[in-house]
Structure formats: C-alpha cells, structure tokens
Amino acid sequence: MPQLQEIRPNLWICEISSASVQVRTVLVRGEKRAVVWDSLTRPGDTAPLVETLAGKPYYVVYSHGDWDHVWGIAGLTVGRLGVIGHEDCLRRFGDDVPRTLQRMRMAERGKWETVRLVPPNIVFTSRLSLDLGGLTLDLHHIPGHTADSIVGWIPEWGVLLGGDAIETPLPVVNNAHLLEGWLAALESWQQLDFLERSIPSHGSLEGRESLDQTVAYLRALAGDRQFNLPRKLDDFYRETHQKNLIVVDGGLVLHE
C-alpha cells in the first residue's frame, strides 16, 4: 500500500510506482474542508488518503483526464463534496477516457476491473477558487500537456500544484499549437517571488526546481533546441524527448 508523506503541516503527498507509471497525488487540508488533487490509478491506491481525511469533507480535483490521474476515484466516495475538472476534462470522459480503459482492460485482463469512471460534476473554464477554511486553492487552466490541464495555487503557502503541466526531467508535449501559451503561462508563474514550491505529478519536489526546469525545457523546445538534458535519462523520457521534437517540428497534435 502506498504511504502518505507530510511535506509541510496539512500538506501530504502519496506516490505509487510500478513498471508502467510513477505518479503522485496531493492532499491539502484546510480548517473546514480538504482537497484530494488527483486520484492515482486504481481505487486501492487511495486508502491512505481516506484514513488521513478522517471524515473531513473534501473535493477531488482532476489536474487532467489522463488515466493515471483519475482511475482511483472509486476509492474516494465517503464525504466527497464534488469532483472538479476543466470543462475539457468532462468532454474527455465522453471520449478518450473510457476508450483508454477499455483498451487497457483488454490488454491486462483482471488488473483494471475495479476501476469506475467518475466524470467531474463541477467544471470551470479558466479559473475557480476554493475556500478550504483558512486556506485557498485557486485552479487555473493551462492547456499544454493536454487541452484540459490545470494547475492549483495555494497563495498562503506559496505552493503550486503542477499536475502534468510541470514535470521533470521533462514534460510530454502532445500538441505543438499549445506550446507557446503553455510556456507563457508557466513563465508568469515563474516570476512570482513568493512561489516557494512547485509539486508536479511526476518529478522533483525540491523547491521550484520542477517549474524552472520545465520552463527551461519548453523554451529550448520552442527556440534554439539547445537542451541540457540529464546524462542519465531513462528510456521513457529519452523516447519522450524525441517524440516532443517530432511533434513541435511537424506542428502535430497527438492528444487533445
């Protein structure tokens, strides 16, 4: 069972690692209510979150509709206030999200049978603010990795929840046409002196490293192609980098 790690008072992360994916969720707890940021891959992954919530009412927020962020939702039913996502995330639940589940169930029989898809029932277009009681979570749409990608800003703590809009050692670029806006949005976050920590769903937890490294990579991808890639890069990210070059150079759209 995955374990929760409290990285500051009332802020936990929970990570799972397997042969196919490494991903984390974040639990933010205010005085009145809490937020679970993404639900991991299967309902059983969320048990430590439910224990820590201890009956406190909470929202679930989808950073975007990719499978490793939304398939654990069936384990988060007690006391849920609502499931929040961008309006394009809701659209995906009628499109690629169920198709991906069907494909993976056929490929790995028995592994994904407990997964139950729950689309967001609270949607927004550009920004939504959640009052958690003494704490605020501002949700901002940043299309880039996917059209429905969002980030979460906790101004009282200077913490940015990045989803897959921020990733180290490098992000996945699926749509060349979203790159410019994605980069500009992250650069605006980077200019905030009081932003102390960025927390991606995949990658570094050290201060602002994940934000700064993502911005540097996207700048290079959009500009002179001078990359400072880590010397030791695993196969997934090596292949991702090559795919990103093809997507941007070809002006491609692989995933909306």
Side-chain angles (χ1 to χ4, degrees):
M1 179 183 294
Q3 300 296 314
L4 282 180
Q5 176 186 352
E6 190 170 13
I7 60 176
R8 61 155 295 145
N10 293 311
L11 178 65
W12 294 263
I13 61 168
C14 184
E15 300 178 337
I16 61 166
S17 179
S18 68
S20 59
V21 68
Q22 291 180 312
V23 65
R24 71 173 56 97
T25 185
V26 183
L27 172 57
V28 181
R29 191 169 64 186
E31 296 172 0
K32 296 180 179 179
R33 53 193 67 89
V35 164
V36 174
W37 176 266
D38 287 338
S39 66
L40 300 175
T41 64
R42 293 193 289 178
D45 297 338
T46 65
L49 301 171
V50 174
E51 293 176 5
T52 302
L53 286 162
K56 182 180 285 289
Y58 63 94
Y59 297 100
V60 176
V61 175
Y62 292 151
S63 67
H64 62 302
D66 284 2
W67 70 274
D68 51 328
H69 299 260
V70 303
W71 283 9
I73 187 67
L76 294 167
T77 55
V78 179
R80 189 172 67 240
L81 292 174
V83 181
I84 301 172
H86 187 262
E87 60 185 8
D88 278 335
C89 183
L90 176 60
R91 174 188 59 78
R92 291 183 63 189
F93 270 81
D95 185 13
D96 68 282
V97 174
R99 288 204 314 269
T100 300
L101 178 57
Q102 182 180 23
R103 182 175 68 250
M104 291 179 67
R105 279 178 171 171
M106 292 180 65
E108 300 177 278
R109 294 190 179 277
K111 183 174 181 179
W112 306 106
E113 296 309 309
T114 60
V115 172
R116 297 292 179 267
L117 300 181
V118 179
N121 53 27
I122 302 172
V123 298
F124 67 99
T125 302
S126 59
R127 179 175 174 178
L128 179 66
S129 184
L130 302 177
D131 179 5
L132 306 182
L135 203 61
T136 309
L137 179 61
D138 291 325
L139 306 178
H140 296 259
H141 182 216
I142 300 186
H145 168 67
T146 56
D148 61 328
S149 289
I150 67 172
V151 298
W153 170 239
I154 307 173
E156 294 86 353
W157 294 344
V159 171
L160 184 66
L161 309 181
D164 282 4
I166 299 169
E167 183 169 353
T168 61
L170 54 93
V172 177
V173 180
N174 292 301
N175 187 331
H177 306 293
L178 297 178
L179 177 58
E180 182 178 354
W182 180 8
L183 175 57
L186 292 187
E187 286 176 330
S188 68
W189 286 108
Q190 194 181 38
Q191 293 170 10
L192 295 181
D193 293 336
F194 50 92
L195 194 158
E196 298 180 0
R197 182 193 289 266
S198 53
I199 303 177
S201 294
H202 317 272
S204 173
L205 287 169
E206 296 298 322
R208 297 164 51 115
E209 181 179 12
S210 58
L211 173 60
D212 293 340
Q213 191 167 327
T214 301
V215 168
Y217 179 82
L218 294 179
R219 279 177 181 162
L221 195 64
D224 60 12
R225 299 297 198 274
Q226 297 299 310
F227 300 100
N228 294 314
L229 295 177
R231 291 184 178 180
K232 294 184 178 180
L233 202 61
D234 66 27
D235 289 343
F236 172 81
Y237 284 107
R238 194 172 301 281
E239 293 170 5
T240 296
H241 173 58
Q242 294 303 317
K243 187 213 72 175
N244 288 347
L245 292 173
I246 294 169
V247 168
V248 172
D249 288 339
L252 301 178
V253 178
L254 300 184
H255 183 0
E256 297 186 45

